[in-house]
Amino acid sequence: MNFPKDFIWGAATAAYQIEGAFNQDGRGESIWDRFSKTPGKVLRGHTGDLACDHYNLFRRDLRLIAGLGVDSYRFSIAWPRIFPRGSGKVNSKGLGFYKELLMGLQELGIRPAATLYHWDLPQALENKGGWLNRDTAYYFRDYAALIFQELGDLAELWITLNEPWCSAYLGYGSGEHAPGIRSPQGYLQAAHNLLLAHGLALQAYREENLSPKIGISLNLIPQEPVSQRPEDLKAARLRDGFQNRWYLDPLFRGEYPRDLQESSFIGSFVQEGDFSLIAAPLDFLGINYYSRDRIGADKEGRPVKYPAERELTAMGWEVYPQGLFDLLSRVDRDYGPLPLYITENGAAFEDTPQEGRVADFERKNYLKEHFAQAARAVEAGVPLKGYYVWSLLDNFEWAYGYERRFGLIYVDFKTQKRILKDSGRWFRSFLKGSN
Ligand code: FCB
């Protein structure tokens, strides 16, 4: 596999999934604390109270990151550690933690990529309507501005939002994620407020005149038609509209997808000037890729998901490496030219440690095959600059709690012992060879 010399390899995590320390040093409550403690929301009632206890063990984890040999580490900042009530008084201990983490990375020569929002909205803001409330976008701007002023130069990449589709749809549409609201229409409003939040944070960033780069991470899922029948093509295009173009078009074209505007009620929440903020130029786009969906039309022409054709991961997601190449090429063609990063890619499989070893050959194969597709894209001229594996550590996998493991490093959640899995060893030797 050929990658350019300056290609960035990394591993990724997110605050609520690894930090634990939910009430330490003045951290406020987040919507995930509330949601995970609501019976029936998370598998086996798991919560992020302790998770990987990374907040307390981060020095140890920094050594593991360095040991892997990655160029970069992607993590997220917990808004409720900085503003325990969403706005108002700053919690200096929370800020101090991220400063230490960033400095620790720099000392080790690891380039930090920091995400401002990976789903852990302060509960105090949810109490005022959360992402259904336009004000939340302005609170986010204030939080972002503070982070940029205090830590702006310490990261190399800044990511405003992680996967606004998940925050909006899973949080306010289907209710599978925090805050667990089911509002088939409200979720588009939430999506808009998230995009606005991104635009406002981006504006705040530019005002600081910082040199690191800034972008956003989208979870793009190719919606592949199961046949070339016009009904199937139309159904797949419709799903692609709500899944992918609903975020790509506003960010890069300053409008919601033209073919979907009639079927929605966007007029009720879009205000003048929003799109000039949302579509302001980005330094890069982060793409999180895991799988594809196979889509056809039912008798009424409505899109339906078809079963996968290949192996599934423990999440039930089809292993489809080719989709990564297709996706990168498509984004570059339709929305480029723009530097791209894969800000997440990885897989959950059942891992059982045996005599201190985790033989996760499926994960290794998954990564290898996806790396090869990324190499193909680079060769085809796609400006792909880097690749982050999800995840550094096994962690709190949202509604699945600790029952799904994505880590390169195995975590025994009872003892907090970490074991580098075989996939991690493979990644480490891959990095040695490529650097
Ligand atoms: C992504 C999330 C990340 C992780 C992976 C498996 O959607 O960004 O936090 O849960 O999926």
Side-chain angles (χ1 to χ4, degrees), residues 40-266:
K41 299 298 185 190
V42 173
L43 208 60
R44 299 195 202 288
H46 289 164
T47 75
D49 281 5
L50 182 60
C52 308
D53 200 18
H54 171 78
Y55 186 80
N56 293 304
L57 301 177
F58 78 97
R59 297 235 170 255
R60 209 165 90 179
D61 289 337
L62 282 175
R63 287 197 292 277
L64 293 175
I65 298 168
L68 258 183
V70 287
D71 307 300
S72 178
Y73 170 57
R74 175 178 177 230
F75 65 96
S76 82
I77 296 176
W79 185 351
R81 279 198 200 283
I82 309 297
F83 287 105
R85 303 208 40 82
S87 65
K89 203 168 169 290
V90 177
N91 174 28
S92 57
K93 284 197 172 161
L95 200 55
F97 169 72
Y98 296 107
K99 198 172 267 174
E100 274 191 62
L101 179 67
L102 283 158
M103 311 268 275
L105 287 165
Q106 298 225 337
E107 276 160 28
L108 292 165
I110 295 160
R111 303 152 80 156
T115 307
L116 290 175
Y117 186 70
H118 202 125
W119 309 355
D120 42 2
L121 185 73
Q123 181 64 38
L125 295 184
E126 184 54 39
N127 297 345
K128 299 182 187 168
W131 289 112
L132 295 173
N133 180 357
R134 196 176 157 94
D135 294 346
T136 301
Y138 292 86
Y139 290 126
F140 181 73
R141 178 199 55 196
D142 297 346
Y143 154 62
L146 177 96
I147 295 292
F148 297 147
Q149 280 151 20
E150 296 287 332
L151 311 173
D153 278 322
L154 296 176
E156 205 159 300
L157 296 182
W158 285 100
I159 294 165
T160 55
L161 304 178
N162 179 68
E163 305 187 346
W165 178 86
C166 290
S167 300
Y169 182 74
L170 300 177
Y172 295 86
S174 71
E176 291 157 75
H177 279 185
I181 291 169
R182 280 193 203 125
S183 167
Q185 305 213 301
Y187 93 83
L188 292 180
Q189 194 175 338
H192 187 72
N193 291 332
L194 280 150
L195 286 167
L196 178 64
H198 158 81
L200 289 164
L202 184 59
Q203 186 185 47
Y205 188 79
R206 297 298 186 212
E207 280 165 10
E208 296 296 321
N209 273 318
L210 296 161
S211 55
K213 308 265 185 250
I214 188 161
I216 186 171
S217 288
L218 301 179
N219 58 314
L220 301 175
I221 311 177
Q223 304 293 309
E224 295 199 353
V226 288
S227 83
Q228 292 303 306
R229 290 191 320 155
E231 308 86 283
D232 291 336
L233 292 174
K234 200 170 156 209
R237 176 91 184 142
L238 181 66
R239 279 276 308 223
D240 177 61
F242 284 108
Q243 180 73 52
N244 303 317
R245 289 181 290 124
W246 200 265
Y247 302 88
L248 289 164
D249 282 17
L251 289 166
F252 298 106
R253 295 181 180 161
E255 59 182 9
Y256 284 113
R258 289 210 180 149
D259 53 321
L260 299 180
Q261 291 190 2
E262 272 168 45
S263 62
S264 60
F265 61 110
I266 46 183

Side-chain angles (χ1 to χ4, degrees), residues 302-339:
R302 285 183 305 237
V304 279
K305 261 202 210 181
Y306 274 60
E309 284 182 321
R310 295 152 202 256
E311 188 201 349
L312 301 180
T313 69
M315 296 295 281
W317 299 344
E318 184 181 18
V319 178
Y320 190 64
Q322 159 91 37
L324 181 58
F325 173 81
D326 297 343
L327 177 64
L328 291 166
S329 314
R330 179 240 178 142
V331 169
D332 182 47
R333 184 189 63 229
D334 293 351
Y335 301 96
L338 179 79

